[in-house]
Amino acid sequence: MAFRSLSLQSLALMAALLAFCLSTASAFSLPPAPALRPASLGLAPRGASVQRASVGLRMQEGKHPLHGAIDKVVNDNKIILFMKGNKDFPQCGFSNTAVQVLKTCGAEFETVNVLENENIRQGIKMYSNWPTIPQLYIGGEFIGGADIMIEMYENGEMRELVEKTMAE
């Protein structure tokens, strides 16, 4: 199970990055990150169907200057991942995990590097009403971030969705 060990390594890296961010937040006078509960992220027990983050999250037209451009990118690509870095050089542990999940499922996908443009980085968060990067869209639908992708991979939903979408 090479992916499972990679997933565990990625999760360990994510935990270390989160701990570092939380420990240094006060040094930069930033408020601490809010506690996230798995239920609030739509995570389900292993083997259960995952509630995707897409329910009612599309923002209204015109809320961000890049809404139309982001909408076009999302709808013109079967599978698109907004991430830090690109699929050949992820620049964040969460983005790397998302790329590995998609590659393991055999997905043909495009990426948008949000680090190249602050407007895109903020715009995609407003577009989906989801505060974190990476963000995966399949068939024009917001799926979620790395945490949801991991759950969907583990219960088989991600591979099924990728195969179905690529066949269309």
Side-chain angles (χ1 to χ4, degrees):
M1 297 295 255
F3 180 79
R4 183 170 289 272
S5 64
L6 175 62
S7 177
L8 292 175
Q9 290 172 349
S10 295
L11 289 173
L13 177 60
M14 287 180 219
L17 287 171
L18 181 60
F20 172 78
C21 290
L22 291 174
S23 69
T24 59
S26 60
F28 296 102
S29 300
L30 297 174
L36 297 176
R37 293 185 297 262
S40 69
L41 298 175
L43 299 181
R46 183 176 291 201
S49 178
V50 174
Q51 296 263 338
R52 292 191 202 122
S54 60
V55 180
L57 294 180
R58 289 285 172 118
M59 63 178 247
Q60 297 298 314
E61 188 71 43
K63 295 288 184 182
H64 189 275
L66 292 178
H67 179 86
I70 291 171
D71 197 51
K72 182 167 176 37
V73 169
V74 166
N75 290 305
D76 286 353
N77 292 279
K78 287 184 176 187
I79 303 174
I80 184 93
L81 181 66
F82 289 81
M83 62 179 286
K84 294 176 182 175
N86 60 54
K87 61 183 162 187
D88 297 321
F89 189 67
Q91 294 182 328
C92 155
F94 296 103
S95 292
N96 182 54
T97 298
V99 167
Q100 295 308 316
V101 167
L102 290 172
K103 284 182 175 181
T104 301
C105 291
E108 295 175 14
F109 64 101
E110 298 300 324
T111 60
V112 174
N113 183 357
V114 300
L115 297 177
E116 292 178 351
N117 186 312
E118 185 63 25
N119 287 326
I120 293 174
R121 186 176 184 169
Q122 296 310 315
I124 193 62
K125 292 175 185 179
M126 292 177 69
Y127 179 82
S128 64
N129 195 25
W130 192 256
T132 59
I133 304 292
Q135 293 186 14
L136 176 65
Y137 293 80
I138 298 181
E141 180 183 354
F142 177 51
I143 302 302
D147 50 353
I148 293 172
M149 292 175 67
I150 291 167
E151 288 292 319
M152 289 178 70
Y153 173 79
E154 288 178 346
N155 69 25
E157 283 184 279
M158 182 61 69
R159 184 177 300 276
E160 182 179 314
L161 182 58
V162 164
E163 289 172 355
K164 178 184 170 194
T165 302
M166 288 177 45
E168 293 175 349

